[in-house]
Amino acid sequence: MPDPARARRLAKRIFTIVATAIEYEIKDPRLVGVTITDAKVTADLHDATLYYTVMGRAIDDPPDYAGAAAALKKANGVRRTKVGAGTGVRFTPTLTFVRDTVPEAAHRMAELLARARRADEDLARVRQGATPAGDAQPYRVIGDEGPLTSTEHDIGDRDRRD
């Protein structure tokens, strides 16, 4: 029977082993800006998916996604051996690396929110000197009803006779 708690523990352990191996043991220059962000293991403990992000060498440099993906695929056997030795499970899960798109989505959401704020500021600037198109007070004010004309009929409780 699948145990989700065991899958989470194994995912956390695989995350630690692979991140440490990328950081300290594997000397591929294409893996310099790679960071493992999350790991998920299937309930049968046979497949592990690791999510990664890639940063450029400098702030202005674009990340090398293709190089990082190739480097991760190339050293997959070494990492799987390390995972097998570090976890002690009977069957070492297959490792699949997927680029994490959460940072890009968060950046896109921040851009959309900034654009919405600018649009709100523009609208507030336009509304500052604006006047209403109709009357200044288009709604009835309670107590300012005036007399009824012959064409109007008051259907309120004031005319009720019980």
Side-chain angles (χ1 to χ4, degrees):
M1 174 159 219
D3 184 11
R6 183 173 182 208
R8 281 194 304 274
R9 284 193 312 268
L10 184 62
K12 187 175 180 181
R13 184 70 184 133
I14 290 171
F15 172 86
T16 305
I17 292 169
V18 172
T20 304
I22 288 174
E23 181 80 21
Y24 299 111
E25 298 169 13
I26 299 173
K27 301 299 180 194
D28 193 336
R30 298 174 292 182
L31 295 176
V32 170
V34 174
T35 303
I36 303 295
T37 57
D38 194 16
K40 296 193 185 300
V41 176
T42 58
D44 63 357
L45 308 179
H46 280 229
D47 298 308
T49 304
L50 291 119
Y51 296 91
Y52 67 94
T53 58
V54 182
M55 296 174 46
R57 297 203 181 265
I59 293 175
D60 298 335
D61 291 346
D64 182 19
Y65 296 119
L72 288 170
K73 189 172 185 178
K74 179 184 174 198
N76 204 15
V78 173
R79 277 189 303 279
R80 189 167 180 210
T81 302
K82 290 190 179 296
V83 166
T87 57
V89 292
R90 183 186 314 179
F91 179 82
T92 303
T94 58
L95 303 178
T96 306
F97 291 91
V98 177
R99 187 167 67 98
D100 194 358
T101 58
V102 171
E104 288 87 11
H107 182 66
R108 175 77 176 132
M109 289 298 288
E111 288 176 352
L112 291 173
L113 288 171
R115 188 173 8 161
R117 276 191 218 101
R118 285 192 303 272
D120 286 346
E121 290 168 0
D122 291 342
L123 182 62
R125 262 194 310 270
V126 169
R127 289 179 52 186
Q128 280 180 348
T131 57
D135 295 333
Q137 178 57 286
Y139 302 105
R140 275 189 170 174
V141 178
I142 297 176
D144 188 29
E145 284 135 16
L148 295 175
T149 61
S150 61
T151 60
E152 294 177 326
H153 299 294
D154 187 16
I155 57 170
D157 287 340
R158 288 181 282 179
D159 295 340
R160 189 170 184 168
R161 293 181 195 148
D162 289 335

